[in-house]
Amino acid sequence: GMGYRGMWNSTDQIPSRAVSSGLVGRFGAIDPTDGGDTYRYSGSLEWQRTRGHTATKVTAFGTAYDLNLFSNFTFFLDDPVHGDQFQQADHRFIAGARINHRRLERWGGHSVQNTFGIEIRNDDITNVGLYHTEARRRLETVRQDSVIQTSGAGYVQNEIAWRSWLRTLAGVRRIVGIDARHRLLGSA
């Protein structure tokens, strides 16, 4: 498994006239609350069994991800009272598994490897949103959605070693996906 977490403040872009007038320093910020925080944690498990000329492998994985990004590109243009800061939010959990079965054979004196497998993946995006904020405090929801996306695939692959310098690889993959979106709040 692996993971990280980060938090930051961003100076973002600032007008050159604000620097030349002395309103802010060269590395200053009009809105010092711009920035964000994020994390990503993931892990996986793998099991494999080999018997004779066959090998079966099962892999399962999961990832948790979160992002809150606060930006203000227009300062007080649209909202002269609270400012134009906005938050982009994304929170999701991804999980999936892969199973493949490989068989080593010989056809007419050539080394052949046939692989059969299935994969499934589910993305549960519990919140993807855009909000009007002031100093990282939400004032209004511009749009907020949740999405569940599931996909699966089955595949077969054939690899033949014709010579030490010539190998062919042929495969077929079929992908099926289901996508469910739900608007929680906000405009169309």
Side-chain angles (χ1 to χ4, degrees), residues 27-125:
F27 301 107
I30 300 293
D31 189 342
T33 65
D34 286 353
D37 60 86
T38 188
Y39 67 75
R40 183 182 196 104
Y41 301 106
S42 64
S44 65
L45 298 170
E46 187 172 285
W47 174 85
Q48 183 168 325
R49 181 170 72 182
T50 304
R51 283 194 173 166
H53 296 285
T54 65
T56 302
K57 186 161 122 178
V58 178
T59 306
F61 61 91
T63 301
Y65 171 75
D66 188 66
L67 171 70
N68 293 295
L69 181 62
F70 297 90
S71 305
N72 188 342
F73 301 122
T74 53
F75 310 116
F76 292 93
L77 184 66
D78 296 326
D79 187 339
V81 176
H82 300 288
D84 298 348
Q85 186 183 68
F86 61 94
Q87 175 191 9
Q88 294 167 272
D90 186 341
H91 181 76
R92 63 183 67 201
F93 184 75
I94 302 163
R98 282 183 217 101
I99 302 170
N100 74 33
H101 182 74
R102 186 180 64 206
R103 182 175 203 85
L104 300 173
E105 303 176 60
R106 297 208 52 90
W107 291 354
H110 302 292
S111 176
V112 177
Q113 182 173 276
N114 289 308
T115 306
F116 310 89
I118 59 171
E119 299 176 349
I120 189 163
R121 174 180 165 143
N122 185 70
D123 291 54
D124 185 0
I125 306 169

